[in-house]
Amino acid sequence: MTEDVNPETLPSGEQPLESRGENRSQRPASAAFKEFMASGWGARPELSTERGAAAPFTAERRDRLSAQFPGQRLVIPAGTFKVRSNDCDYRFRPHSAFAHLTGLGAEQEPDAVLVLHPVDESEAPDGVTGTPGTHRAVLYVRPPAGRDSEEFFSDARYGEFWVGARPTFTDLETLTGIRTAHLDTLRDALAKDVGPDGVQLVVVPGVDEAVEAVVEEIRAAQDTGGSDARLAEALSELRLVKDEHEVAQMREAVATTIAGFEKIVGQLPAAVAHRRGERVIEGTFVGHARQEGHAVGYETIAAAGDHATTLHWTDNDGRVRTGELVLVDAGVEVDSLYTADITRTLPVDGVYTDVQRRVYQAVLDAADAAFAAAVPGNKFRDVHAAAMEVIAARLGEWGLLPVSVEESLSPEGQQHRRWMVHGTSHHLGLDVHDCALARRELYLDATIEPGMVFTIEPGLYFKSDDELVPEEYRGIGVRIEDDVLVTVDGNENLSAALPRDPDEVEAWMARLSAR
């Protein structure tokens, strides 16, 4: 069918599938309407845009990346909208590498692409010196559509009438400190000087299929390849040590998350009264996250009773009963997209039973041992090992291990891991499992450095049908998770304001319940 045929004039059986989603719409299409729609608009209000606080830090991050890829053109897409169902999209969140290098968070900027163009001594545009490894950053974006365009009023995904005005090139340049250009010029910009003896083109894989396809087409035409995996790896490793701005964002995320936990305690009576009490807890936290930040950093876990023994319980459709524990694993993602990741295991009625307290104290002692190991000079894997020594020792004291503690702790044993199969720590930042593509030698086998931010989260999980533990333990799941910043002389528990000692938890809950 040619473009000038209106699908609405065709018999229903001949209407293409791709146009049928508009059958519900009754948008006017007359020339008179379009002419009238384009008239009578005043000047757009100017957006209040200042240089973002992240801008000097993102420039330094781009410089560090640049030094690793001399002569290569680096393509870092923000990503596209993702369909939730039919023609409804999820709320847009840019790819973390894009956010890290531009400072754009929240819902900025769909379809945008950051490109780091290599420059040499002969170019040196815009004051760039052209030293080896130097790149010139350009942000390719979709500009606002004119009010005389159909996009303005008819495009439900991008149209200003539907989703609001997009920032102008000037707005984005002011905010980010990065030169901007029209998205339509991206293809030619990517292809410039690409070849076996020229510029190598690399793109972050798995972010934007359309951009990847353009890159592949250019590389195929110029008979050249690209180290896409190495770029993805480098972008992940770039975040292993947080800068001053990132640490400030993490503090904000943690503080906002702690406030959310306080609200949860206040809603526990409502959770007990509701047939889906776990949803009451989840809804309380998610509502708080949207009010005070961008969203949650991951799906909230609100696991009561035996559900707490399922590590990633996100159904959250169960009852919350007095006398039981509820494990809440939650984190607010602030507008810059940095997220906290905190877990507390709370007695629903405010007081731990003797057995619950015994299990809880074992997990707390394991966490404290992990904190003692989370210092500069130790290995990242030492944090987990320290926690496991305590977990194995307690399980041995309780007579649950089929072998000695020493044998269980050996690589050939590991029987204690039946009751804690997950790791103790992971890096934290823009992603809840940050830096996930970093090489093993820079992550698990790495030496701990000041500026690293990661979790400490041991746990014990005794499922209700576990016949290898006494009945009094069955159905109890406990995890305590805090966010730690490594300092020059040790570490700081960023989430220390949220009580973790069992006596302090009970007193905290009592104070909040009395309000």
Side-chain angles (χ1 to χ4, degrees):
M1 183 197 307
T2 58
E3 293 184 0
D4 58 351
V5 175
N6 186 346
E8 293 184 9
T9 65
L10 296 174
S12 61
E14 297 181 22
Q15 185 183 9
L17 283 174
E18 61 268 20
S19 71
R20 295 184 189 180
E22 298 299 318
N23 285 347
R24 62 177 172 77
S25 301
Q26 299 183 57
R27 298 176 190 165
S30 68
F33 164 77
K34 294 176 184 178
E35 181 181 356
F36 186 63
M37 194 69 178
S39 66
W41 300 106
R44 283 188 176 94
E46 290 188 9
L47 297 180
S48 178
T49 305
E50 300 177 349
R51 180 59 50 90
F57 296 95
T58 58
E60 192 275 336
R61 295 167 198 166
R62 294 192 298 272
D63 287 345
R64 287 166 53 203
L65 182 68
S66 171
Q68 300 181 55
F69 296 88
Q72 299 181 60
R73 179 167 289 126
L74 312 181
V75 184
I76 302 102
T80 61
F81 286 105
K82 291 180 172 59
V83 175
R84 183 184 186 279
S85 64
N86 191 24
D87 58 349
C88 295
D89 296 322
Y90 285 103
R91 182 178 294 112
F92 179 73
R93 183 196 189 279
H95 188 268
S96 294
F98 177 89
H100 189 238
L101 296 178
T102 64
L104 294 174
E107 299 179 45
Q108 301 170 298
E109 210 22 62
D111 303 320
V113 181
L114 174 68
V115 180
L116 301 187
H117 294 283
V119 297
D120 57 29
E121 295 292 348
S122 63
E123 276 190 277
D126 301 332
V128 175
T129 61
T131 54
T134 298
H135 288 72
R136 172 172 50 89
V138 180
L139 186 60
Y140 295 87
V141 296
R142 183 188 298 272
R147 286 166 168 174
D148 58 349
S149 69
E150 288 198 31
E151 178 186 300
F152 169 64
F153 64 84
S154 69
D155 192 321
R157 176 175 273 182
Y158 297 109
E160 181 178 337
F161 223 83
W162 293 80
V163 298
R166 288 196 297 275
T168 65
F169 291 161
T170 301
D171 293 332
L172 287 172
E173 286 191 2
T174 301
L175 178 64
T176 65
I178 303 172
R179 176 186 167 188
T180 58
H182 199 300
L183 192 60
D184 288 350
T185 67
L186 176 65
R187 183 186 185 87
D188 290 342
L190 294 183
K192 183 181 178 182
D193 299 328
V194 171
D197 300 320
V199 172
Q200 189 180 46
L201 191 58
V202 291
V203 61
V204 182
V207 181
D208 188 323
E209 291 182 0
V211 173
E212 280 189 75
V214 170
V215 169
E216 288 297 337
E217 185 177 329
I218 293 171
R219 291 197 294 211
Q222 300 299 330
D223 192 26
T224 185
S227 52
D228 297 346
R230 173 65 191 118
L231 175 59
E233 178 182 87
L235 289 165
S236 209
E237 293 170 355
L238 198 64
R239 306 204 300 269
L240 284 165
V241 175
K242 269 55 179 179
D243 58 37
E244 179 184 340
H245 180 262
E246 291 180 285
V247 171
Q249 295 304 301
M250 293 302 303
R251 291 186 187 280
E252 180 184 345
V254 168
T256 310
T257 297
I258 290 173
F261 271 84
E262 292 177 348
K263 290 186 176 181
I264 285 171
V265 173
Q267 288 298 308
L268 283 177
V272 171
H274 198 282
R275 63 185 177 85
R276 287 185 165 184
E278 293 174 340
R279 293 273 172 95
V280 173
I281 293 172
E282 177 190 8
T284 299
F285 190 85
V286 171
H288 169 77
R290 280 296 286 165
Q291 291 172 31
E292 304 298 333
H294 174 244
V296 290
Y298 54 96
E299 293 297 324
T300 299
I301 297 169
D306 187 53
H307 287 167
T309 68
T310 299
L311 301 181
H312 284 176
W313 175 260
T314 56
D315 288 355
N316 300 340
D317 60 357
R319 298 203 71 98
V320 176
R321 299 178 174 87
T322 58
E324 295 186 340
L325 300 175
V326 58
L327 185 157
V328 181
D329 186 334
V332 172
E333 179 183 85
V334 292
D335 291 336
S336 62
L337 303 184
Y338 287 84
T339 184
D341 182 7
I342 299 174
T343 305
R344 289 294 185 266
T345 306
L346 308 174
V348 173
D349 53 7
V351 179
Y352 295 99
T353 68
D354 290 343
V355 176
Q356 290 168 353
R357 180 179 281 261
R358 185 185 313 149
V359 177
Y360 187 99
Q361 189 65 52
V363 175
L364 181 60
D365 291 345
D368 288 344
F371 266 97
V375 296
N378 281 353
K379 297 291 187 182
F380 185 79
R381 63 169 61 251
D382 294 340
V383 178
H384 175 71
M388 288 304 93
E389 288 184 6
V390 175
I391 292 294
R394 295 303 167 84
L395 292 169
E397 290 173 10
W398 300 339
L400 302 185
L401 294 179
V403 296
S404 68
V405 172
E406 292 73 23
E407 186 175 345
S408 185
L409 286 169
S410 70
E412 299 76 24
Q414 300 293 300
Q415 287 86 347
H416 61 284
R417 297 297 299 278
R418 173 186 176 99
W419 296 287
M420 183 185 154
V421 299
H422 61 80
T424 302
S425 298
H426 58 77
H427 278 267
L428 183 66
L430 281 166
D431 293 335
V432 66
H433 297 151
D434 211 25
C435 316
L437 300 181
R439 288 166 287 180
R440 174 181 287 266
E441 58 266 29
L442 296 181
Y443 199 134
L444 185 60
D445 294 331
T447 299
I448 296 172
E449 299 180 43
M452 288 182 169
V453 177
F454 50 78
T455 64
I456 289 178
E457 50 177 312
L460 280 171
Y461 312 92
F462 301 110
K463 292 187 175 295
S464 60
D465 58 353
D466 188 345
E467 297 182 352
L468 297 186
V469 299
E471 188 171 353
E472 62 180 354
Y473 288 99
R474 297 175 193 171
I476 293 178
V478 173
R479 182 163 66 252
I480 304 169
E481 180 180 19
D482 288 286
D483 302 339
V484 58
L485 167 67
V486 181
T487 61
V488 173
D489 55 358
N491 61 59
E492 175 188 351
N493 182 357
L494 296 176
S495 45
L498 190 61
R500 54 202 293 275
D501 175 87
D503 291 335
E504 293 177 358
V505 170
E506 291 178 347
W508 170 72
M509 293 182 68
R511 288 195 303 272
L512 292 175
S513 299
R515 288 181 180 177

